[in-house]
Amino acid sequence: MNFYKHYIGDFQRDTGHLSLTERGAYLALIHHYYATEKPLPNNLDALCRIAGAVSPIERKAVKVAIEFFEPVDSGLMHSRIEAEIHKAGE
C-alpha cells in the first residue's frame, strides 16, 4: 500500500505514553508493514535495520514499539494494519 488513513485520535490514544523516539520507531515499523503488506520479521536486528535504529536508545525504542505487534508463525502481525490492507484490497 502506498497510502493509508492515519487516524490521529486513535494514534494519540494508543501511543501518547511513548517517547518521541519510541513513536518514531513505531511509525517506521508500521510504514514498512504497510509498504510490504506482510508481517514484520520476528528478529530484533532485522527490525532495527528496518527502523534505522543504530544507537542503544533507538534499539530500545524498537523493543518498546514491537509490543504493539502480535507474534505469529509468519512474523509480527498488527491486527489494525491487517484490517486496513484487507479493506484496501476489496
Side-chain angles (χ1 to χ4, degrees):
M1 292 180 58
N2 292 319
F3 171 83
Y4 72 95
K5 291 183 180 181
H6 180 79
Y7 298 94
I8 296 167
D10 291 348
F11 186 79
Q12 285 300 106
R13 183 191 65 242
D14 294 343
T15 65
H17 65 286
L18 300 178
S19 72
L20 180 62
T21 304
E22 291 163 348
R23 277 194 305 272
Y26 179 57
L27 280 170
L29 294 176
I30 65 172
H31 288 169
H32 181 81
Y33 198 127
Y34 275 113
T36 62
E37 297 186 19
K38 58 185 179 183
L40 297 172
N42 195 0
N43 173 282
L44 182 60
D45 288 333
L47 293 168
C48 287
R49 173 69 66 185
I50 289 167
V54 293
S55 74
I57 290 171
E58 293 166 343
R59 290 179 62 85
K60 184 177 177 187
V62 170
K63 287 182 185 179
V64 171
I66 61 175
E67 293 174 8
F68 288 90
F69 298 84
E70 177 186 349
V72 296
D73 290 340
S74 58
L76 296 175
M77 190 184 81
H78 192 290
S79 58
R80 174 73 176 263
I81 296 173
E82 287 293 327
E84 294 295 329
I85 291 169
H86 180 73
K87 278 197 305 190
E90 293 178 344

